[in-house]
Amino acid sequence: MEIKKERRLKNIPTKASEKYRNFPMVPRVVFGNGSFDQLGGILMPKRKHSEAPIVYLVDDVFEGTNLAQRIPNIFCDQIIFVSANEEPSTLQVDSLVTMIKENFQDLPSGIVGIGGGTLLDLSKAVAILLTNKGSAAEYQGWDLVHKKAIYHVGIPTISGTGSEVSRTTVLLGPDKKLGINSDFTTFNQVILDPELSKGVPKEQWFYTGMDCFIHCIESLEGTFLNAFSQSYGEKALELCKEVFLTDIPESESRDKLMMASWHGGMSIAYSQVGVAHALSYGLGFILGVKHGIGNCLVFQHLEEFYPEGVAIFNQMMKKHQITLPQGICKNLTDTEFEKMVAVALGMEPLWENALGENWKCIITSEKLISIYKKI
Ligand code: NAD
Ligand code: ZN
């Protein structure tokens, strides 16, 4: 794919002293089947003293499983099982922080998130709010966090969101769905153990995997593209095609999707997502539709913006016999459609990335409503 236009990132307010963004990256990462068992050794030097626990936030799908048994739960550590049925919210972060502060005299030595994007985002936000005063909602936005977070570790158990590498944690707040974007959000350590993603149900595997595929398409087709994003985006796209369009063995597919997620996340760090994500945020905010499936619901109707991407997406759907639900928006009132459109149009950097500086001349409320009505 050819680089259309190299330009400075506009998606994030840049500090006056920075011509180019100076991004944090995950400083330490382990990769490999069974690497989860190294967690105890990795945490040991991070433990401040026996009263400062490690708090594990774990997807409740693992409650009572062998994985829960393997968590190095020692001294006064605490395991908190959390449901991923709903996407993380600022209220949920606040109540977890209050609970941890009430349970322990000292701040934890570390927070470990085990699960998909929901649990990873929750862990990042809890780690930030343990050292920064007030409610999580006060930090939704760009570079509003001033104090370093508690040491935090991310362990994905389903692949696609790229949350394991990103400097954001997306939260549903009282009046918006928006990330806490900050240098302190990024994990201090990630453990990539593809075996942990063994039991993921097929539909969910597809939806979360497509989040990664759509990150690639939106980044590679966007006007913010630069060689940094392109190099990661192309690799992630190649891996997605192998995983979703060829018949590689399952274990290889798990390894590859985990690395695709990583590269897809890196690709959007230095660019931006696009039309599908903007519209999906609207669906998520008004109807509570989750990120992965929401992106798929929208993306199927975006031939006009991403013709090649949608054609590949359709092939992938067919190969895996995925049927998306229909009629999601059929009972919505005009006011609800308008709200959804307002949320979508509010994501200005996404539109600018997708359509260029003059996006406001191309995209109208009617256009967006007509797409929503197809869903
Ligand atoms: P998820 O974490 O919501 O999990 C989806 C489902 O899969 C849940 O039911 C969960 O219990 C189940 N699951 C997870 N691992 C499993 C396993 N090994 N076996 C069986 N079931 C398993 O899904 P997701 O798509 O990874 O995350 C979506 C969230 O990620 C959204 O909240 C979205 O906003 C966020 N997100 C964040 C970023 C970021 O950069 N921070 C990027 C994209 C998406
Ligand atoms: Zn996404």
Side-chain angles (χ1 to χ4, degrees), residues 8-187:
R8 192 144 69 93
L9 257 193
K10 285 209 173 170
N11 57 329
I12 303 166
T14 314
K15 292 171 199 153
S17 57
E18 273 185 359
K19 184 172 177 207
Y20 295 100
R21 294 292 319 203
N22 185 4
F23 276 114
M25 287 170 74
V26 174
R28 286 193 173 260
V29 56
V30 182
F31 174 85
N33 286 325
S35 60
F36 181 78
D37 293 326
Q38 284 175 224
L39 181 59
I42 289 172
L43 294 175
M44 200 48 89
K46 304 291 174 188
R47 291 180 181 274
K48 287 185 264 177
H49 52 86
S50 58
E51 302 298 307
I54 300 286
V55 176
Y56 300 93
L57 299 179
V58 185
D59 191 315
D60 69 0
V61 76
F62 296 112
E63 202 164 359
T65 64
N66 172 262
L67 181 70
Q69 298 293 325
R70 289 162 63 202
I71 295 174
N73 181 13
I74 56 172
F75 304 127
C76 57
D77 291 355
Q78 188 177 15
I79 301 180
I80 303 175
F81 290 102
V82 183
S83 159
N85 286 346
E86 268 151 41
E87 299 200 326
S89 69
T90 54
L91 273 180
Q92 192 184 12
V93 172
D94 295 345
S95 59
L96 280 165
V97 168
T98 307
M99 186 174 115
I100 294 170
K101 284 189 170 163
E102 278 170 8
N103 284 358
F104 301 98
Q105 264 185 348
D106 293 311
L107 280 179
S109 299
I111 300 292
V112 178
I114 304 177
T118 298
L119 266 292
L120 297 182
D121 279 7
L122 205 54
S123 311
K124 292 179 185 180
V126 167
I128 290 172
L129 267 294
L130 278 166
T131 53
N132 288 273
K133 283 197 296 249
S135 159
E138 293 164 41
Y139 300 95
Q140 282 180 289
W142 282 272
D143 300 308
L144 302 171
V145 180
H146 296 297
K147 283 198 193 144
K148 215 174 134 188
I150 299 270
Y151 171 79
H152 51 302
V153 180
I155 310 182
T157 63
I158 179 171
S159 303
T161 65
S163 171
E164 64 279 15
V165 291
S166 75
R167 77 189 280 285
T168 189
T169 155
V170 185
L171 301 176
L172 284 165
D175 48 20
K176 52 185 179 266
K177 179 175 174 182
L178 185 62
I180 299 180
N181 298 268
S182 90
D183 286 353
F184 303 120
T185 309
T186 316
F187 284 114

Side-chain angles (χ1 to χ4, degrees), residues 332-347:
L332 292 184
T333 62
D334 288 350
T335 322
E336 284 169 321
F337 274 118
E338 279 158 26
K339 257 197 195 153
M340 252 178 1
V341 168
V343 173
L345 287 178
M347 314 297 293

